[in-house]
Amino acid sequence: MSYAADVLNAAHLELHGGGDAELRRPFDPTAHDLDASFRLTRFADLKGRGCKVPQEVLSKLVSALQQDYSAQDQEPQFLNVAIPRIGIGLDCAVIPLRHGGLCLVQTTDFFYPIVDDPYMMGKIACANVLSDLYAMGVTDCDNMLMLLAVSTKMTEKERDVVIPLIMRGFKDSALEAGTTVTGGQSVVNPWCTIGGVASTICQPNEYIVPDNAVVGDVLVLTKPLGTQVAVNAHQWIDQPERWNRIKLVVSEEDVRKAYHRAMNSMSRLNRVAARLMHKYNAHGATDITGFGLLGHAQTLAAHQKKDVSFVIHNLPVIAKMAAVAKACGNMFQLLQGHSAETSGGLLICLPREQAAAYCKDIEKQEGYQAWIIGIVEKGNKTARIIDKPRVIEVPAKD
Amino acid sequence: MSYAADVLNAAHLELHGGGDAELRRPFDPTAHDLDASFRLTRFADLKGRGCKVPQEVLSKLVSALQQDYSAQDQEPQFLNVAIPRIGIGLDCAVIPLRHGGLCLVQTTDFFYPIVDDPYMMGKIACANVLSDLYAMGVTDCDNMLMLLAVSTKMTEKERDVVIPLIMRGFKDSALEAGTTVTGGQSVVNPWCTIGGVASTICQPNEYIVPDNAVVGDVLVLTKPLGTQVAVNAHQWIDQPERWNRIKLVVSEEDVRKAYHRAMNSMSRLNRVAARLMHKYNAHGATDITGFGLLGHAQTLAAHQKKDVSFVIHNLPVIAKMAAVAKACGNMFQLLQGHSAETSGGLLICLPREQAAAYCKDIEKQEGYQAWIIGIVEKGNKTARIIDKPRVIEVPAKD
């Protein structure tokens, strides 16, 4: 009991200034009586890969199954419902309910530690799950569950320090989103895993089906790219052979700033972005996560009703991370749009005449920029990045 | 495409007779062009431990956090709602909604492969998640999500064979339950992991808050114990040093029968059991999973409104598994009530005069026995097993 209180006091200390990641001190393991070398990110050995099953593998597996299903069940069991049933491929499932025109909008996500601060990791995981709801224009979440796997390689001490901090971060983020965490599941696993489930029960006018893009729309992105590059570069500070590959293009100070900008960005909710989608008549959106900007843009394009394509001209990237990505050769594929992001921004199709106002409004409300990064053309439901996209360097806030 | 068709044909072959596990042939890796030595259960190295974080560790972590929360937030944010908010500790979360007296009943669960047949593993995982809803007397699930982690140690070939089979099993079980799987998350992980999320939106009279046990009630169990013992014993057939410990008390044939009985039992839905809870005025229930019969009985007892205790006299166990457990010393703690179960039965508090009719009705509808295993006495909200409980040997069906 008093021990738990100690852990939480330490968490409070780090929260100097009240939760704003910019003001947050770096996580200090020794303040929690852990070894100075403790790194949460070492409890998952992804070796630079993203944690997701590759998109093409997944769609092959899933589509084989879906086809088989439709061939097997002759009854059109999805066709008798008034509200369209949205399934695999988009950010959320939308399920019509038995009760008065309501539907369930639901999503789940989980992944491995990407930052070393357990409290921030909890916040990021929560923001990342909620982001799928926000991408559908849903602004209120009715319930969250937490999914947690504790690493088998953690000592009992490490576990007792880290898990309450992760849980607290997750819950604080849920609180900020106006929702609560009422349950979940905890298991042991070689890799530490964290994620959750977010559910909303709402009227059909509360969500925006992301299939209404028209020629002439523009594409807005609400957070900078480069989170994966930043968290990797930050880990390399301790690894001379890695660091040598990038030290000609960045200083340690640059990387620390980028890392804090990334943590800040990943833990920021896309909730205001979702609210403004209604105000400015968005035609659809997706959130940028494991499959990178282009991967998610392509999925969104493929789901459009009209014959449109997305063309991306600008890439807003956390300052210096484009240079780091280039110095690493093809490893991240950041400028090709394939670098995984965690809890990235919303990519939104907006009427051209509304987009600037959208960006101005979000900046006024939150103090963060959004960018017009591309256009919607006539086309065959694909997405691409132009040959030499303009990289917009997004500085860390001071 | 044609490759996927092959995989699914193989699945059909094994489904000779139409999905009944008793008739199902053992999974043959070579029929899927995999090495004969392929074993799904080897993709998680639990070494006989349960996969859950120990119950006492978990409650310590969670309760520390809960206490801190209530101390910190002075506002009684849970108190203004008409429907009781049920949180961590019980099988489901029940969340009152903004819409006309409805609530969201939701649960999640995931774990590691415990049987070698991927299709059956998918079915078991689905039945196991749904079981939490059924324990609350909820009989209709509105939506499911699938949570899947593909082992990093699987070859591409193994992955392409196993994942569609798991998915199909999961979906078939969902279909049997009258619900659908509309999304989920897939990641790579050292251990293969499978689970899901089940959600229902319902009126308060559709679920049974499990806190109404009264002195004089009896305890009914709807599936036999011993699933963990059976799946372990089955793995030991291939491991002479392990097999030698139990071969004096069981034959290989006994173990194979017990394993099939266990698979059958784990993949069976607790849906009829849930429906009959309403008919026979159940006072509350829980489902038996990772913390064993006594662990879950204790949690259920602790949540009662009245000053009652549960006393368990009878232990229905899959035939021969009590002997196997004894031959393994204290490893499983089966007769002490601590052996983990997967997708176990419901433990239900029923009025004494209704219990026999409940058991008769479930047997009539499903062809499976249920047992009166204990009584509700006056007490301090605890549960115990008597000193020398009667072991009921539950044979495999022919």
Side-chain angles (χ1 to χ4, degrees), chain A residues 1 51 68-69 85 93 95 98 106 109-110 112 143 168 171-172 180 182 185 188-190 199 201, chain B residues 51 67-69 85 93 95 98 106 109-110 112 143 168 171-172 180 182 185 188-191 199 201:
Chain A
M1 213 61 74
C51 71
D68 174 72
Y69 257 72
R85 190 177 277 265
I95 301 99
R98 301 164 280 161
Q106 189 166 61
D109 212 346
F110 55 91
Y112 305 103
N143 191 46
R168 171 184 274 277
K171 293 210 161 198
D172 280 357
T180 43
T182 60
Q185 160 79 329
V188 291
N189 188 57
S199 306
I201 288 82
Chain B
C51 71
Q67 286 176 343
D68 176 71
Y69 257 71
R85 190 177 276 265
I95 302 98
R98 299 164 282 159
Q106 189 166 59
D109 212 345
F110 54 93
Y112 306 102
N143 191 47
R168 171 183 273 279
K171 293 207 163 204
D172 281 357
T180 45
T182 60
Q185 160 80 329
V188 291
N189 187 58
W191 293 354
S199 306
I201 289 80

